[in-house]
Amino acid sequence: MSEIEPTKVLNGIKLTEKTAFLAESKNVYTFEVPLTATKIEVKQAVEKSFGVRVVKVNTQTRVGQRRRFKMKFGFTRDKKRALVKLHSDDRISLY
């Protein structure tokens, strides 16, 4: 397996009230990732870019919704999130 750059796997961190609560209480951080990213790639990218130990990775694929523009119908883009649980001793500084 070849090494890939973390910047190609992690599109950004998702910051909402819910994700901030998860980060504080359960040490789980949420990242936006490409649809083609695997759990192993996400784990390696987080460990390499933040220098932390990853315990578990869960992914969610969110299907795009149907939207109407005048008389035509289309779909919004599909999205993928990765919920990354870190070791209890490790933290990522968000602010």
Side-chain angles (χ1 to χ4, degrees):
M1 185 160 52
S2 63
E3 283 288 321
I4 53 174
E5 295 180 32
T7 55
K8 295 192 180 200
V9 177
L10 302 176
N11 291 340
I13 193 161
K14 184 94 170 158
L15 283 177
T16 61
E17 284 184 40
K18 191 173 190 177
T19 59
F21 176 74
L22 279 173
E24 290 175 10
S25 63
K26 298 184 180 181
N27 209 18
V28 174
Y29 297 87
T30 307
F31 296 93
E32 295 285 340
V33 295
L35 291 172
T36 57
T38 64
K39 292 182 180 185
I40 296 168
E41 292 172 345
V42 171
K43 179 180 179 179
Q44 291 172 351
V46 170
E47 287 177 344
K48 189 173 181 182
S49 41
F50 294 104
V52 293
R53 295 170 286 179
V54 175
V55 174
K56 185 177 179 181
V57 176
N58 292 332
T59 57
Q60 298 175 342
T61 304
R62 309 196 60 150
V63 180
Q65 298 177 345
R66 186 176 179 196
R67 295 283 184 221
R68 191 181 91 193
F69 179 73
K70 296 190 178 180
M71 299 298 286
K72 297 183 181 182
F73 288 93
F75 287 89
T76 59
R77 292 183 180 169
D78 295 345
K79 297 177 184 176
K80 189 171 188 177
R81 285 186 193 164
L83 294 136
V84 179
K85 182 169 180 63
L86 301 182
H87 190 270
S88 60
D89 297 336
D90 296 331
R91 297 263 185 239
I92 295 175
S93 177
L94 297 177
Y95 307 108

